[in-house]
Amino acid sequence: MEWKINRGSRECVHCVKKFSEDEEYYSALFDENNVFLRKDFCIPCWNHAQREQLFSFWRTRIPKANKPAKKLINTDVLLDMFLRLEGKNETHQKNLRYVIGLYLIRKKILKIKSFLRQGADEFIILSYAKAEREFSVFNQNLKEEEIESITSEMNQLLDYSF
């Protein structure tokens, strides 16, 4: 599965203002016909944006010109995406939720509680201690190269380095 997701545009999608060095802005993902579309908004436009089809968002900033960009992974954004993907049945959404779940396990946000078999299907039961919740994640049995592909696409989507 390959997603066609645009990178950050460095300008507001609404007013077309170019973002300046060290300026904060919002990046948002919209799920339009099962395709994620990234849109960037300056703060004033974000405050007036219609966000009905919003899937997820985060606040970011343009790095300073002479300073190398230090990209930290915002686990809150990934946890939000993981939660919003709960109950989705599209294969690419299930694959994305599975990979995000694996990453959140690695970052110790979620913990593996158990495995559950229902016929030929296997589920990973994850716990989230902060909210005292459990999640059942279908084990997609993805090959390593499929996980790497999804991770690479997530990097592009979120402008992160995993």
Side-chain angles (χ1 to χ4, degrees):
M1 168 59 58
E2 190 169 324
W3 294 298
K4 303 291 184 205
I5 302 166
N6 56 321
R7 294 182 64 89
S9 64
R10 299 197 178 247
E11 69 180 30
C12 178
V13 69
H14 184 66
C15 70
V16 196
K17 172 189 168 283
K18 297 265 188 224
F19 299 131
S20 59
E21 182 178 308
D22 208 33
E23 180 178 357
E24 289 189 338
Y25 64 97
Y26 284 92
S27 288
L29 295 180
F30 293 84
D31 185 356
E32 297 181 4
N33 299 319
N34 294 319
V35 174
F36 286 125
L37 180 63
R38 178 180 173 164
K39 297 179 183 179
D40 299 316
F41 297 86
C42 66
I43 303 296
C45 290
W46 176 253
N47 292 333
H48 296 86
Q50 293 184 345
R51 301 183 283 234
E52 293 84 28
Q53 295 174 319
L54 176 72
F55 178 77
S56 186
F57 70 94
W58 60 97
R59 193 169 178 154
T60 189
R61 72 175 58 233
I62 299 291
K64 292 183 179 178
N66 294 331
K67 187 176 179 183
K70 182 179 179 183
K71 296 187 180 184
L72 299 175
I73 299 165
N74 188 334
T75 54
D76 291 336
V77 170
L78 292 177
L79 181 60
D80 179 62
M81 290 177 69
F82 177 82
L83 295 172
R84 290 175 185 264
L85 287 166
E86 187 170 21
K88 301 291 184 183
N89 291 319
E90 295 288 329
T91 300
H92 74 281
Q93 292 172 330
K94 288 167 74 172
N95 289 349
L96 179 59
R97 186 166 192 260
Y98 176 76
V99 172
I100 291 172
L102 294 178
Y103 182 78
L104 291 172
I105 291 167
R106 189 172 130 204
K107 288 298 183 181
K108 299 183 177 93
I109 306 297
L110 300 176
K111 292 184 180 181
I112 297 175
K113 183 175 180 184
S114 63
F115 294 90
L116 174 67
R117 232 184 228 296
Q118 292 180 339
D121 295 334
E122 182 181 71
F123 297 86
I124 305 170
I125 309 303
L126 302 176
S127 66
Y128 179 49
K130 283 186 181 179
E132 296 182 7
R133 285 187 66 187
E134 288 185 359
F135 304 99
S136 176
V137 178
F138 181 69
N139 184 351
Q140 298 292 96
N141 290 315
L142 298 175
K143 295 180 176 85
E144 188 173 334
E145 50 274 1
E146 291 172 304
I147 292 172
E148 288 175 8
S149 175
I150 292 169
T151 301
S152 174
E153 291 161 11
M154 285 173 46
N155 292 343
Q156 178 184 349
L157 171 68
L158 300 173
D159 242 356
Y160 288 147
S161 297
F162 286 101

